[in-house]
Amino acid sequence: MEPSSTPADRHTYRTPLPRVALTPDAGHGPLDGTWWPRCDALELELPLLISSLEPETAVRVSVYPGACPDAPHAVMSPGREIAVEQTGTGGQAHAVTVDCGALGRWVLLVVPPEEPVGTAARPLAAATDPDNSPTAAGLPALAETGNLGDTAEAAE
């Protein structure tokens, strides 16, 4: 009788890719892209986001208190600790700021995790269009009115 074999990769867990879209060739301006987390737990989502930016320096993330009232002060990520601070007012309510010191600073529109694919795809596409220059405060309003254009790929 021969021993049975099972494929080794059958039980392998793969970390999902972050749903983030960055504006190409942007000079870290008023809005550098869009981030669509899968859930509102920063402990789970921030390491994926930060790894997609590939900074090798210390990282500090600023979030709006109204959007993340239970945000931790720090999030552990492989090889680093991500400092989290609650800051900002008004227009920052829909944005997260990722400060990577000498590497720069990214301001990203945050699409709520519960948004359907069709709704989230518009701001993801608009934020990556170098011809658009909306602010974090203005992009959600544009998405609601449908003035972002009809072509967008879902980042799922």
Side-chain angles (χ1 to χ4, degrees):
M1 183 175 217
E2 293 183 33
S4 63
S5 63
T6 58
D9 60 39
R10 189 171 93 183
H11 298 288
T12 302
Y13 175 78
R14 293 194 175 122
T15 304
L17 294 174
R19 299 185 297 188
V20 62
L22 300 175
T23 303
D25 303 323
H28 300 305
L31 189 63
D32 302 301
T34 302
W35 178 42
W36 183 28
R38 287 176 172 77
C39 68
D40 58 4
L42 291 179
E43 306 84 25
L44 299 173
E45 294 291 338
L46 280 180
L48 294 171
L49 173 65
I50 300 306
S51 70
S52 72
L53 300 174
E54 300 179 5
E56 294 181 10
T57 61
V59 176
R60 186 175 68 244
V61 175
S62 301
V63 297
Y64 180 68
C68 299
D70 299 324
H73 295 289
V75 171
M76 297 307 298
S77 179
R80 79 180 67 207
E81 180 178 88
I82 303 166
V84 179
E85 60 184 37
Q86 294 188 353
T87 186
T89 58
Q92 297 301 316
H94 298 287
V96 62
T97 302
V98 179
D99 189 348
C100 298
L103 270 179
R105 185 176 157 223
W106 288 268
V107 179
L108 304 173
L109 170 74
V110 178
V111 176
E114 66 275 2
E115 288 296 325
V117 172
T119 304
R122 284 191 201 113
L124 284 165
T128 60
D129 182 351
D131 293 331
N132 282 338
S133 59
T135 64
L139 200 51
L142 289 173
E144 288 175 15
T145 62
N147 291 332
L148 294 174
D150 296 322
T151 58
E153 290 183 19
E156 193 134 51

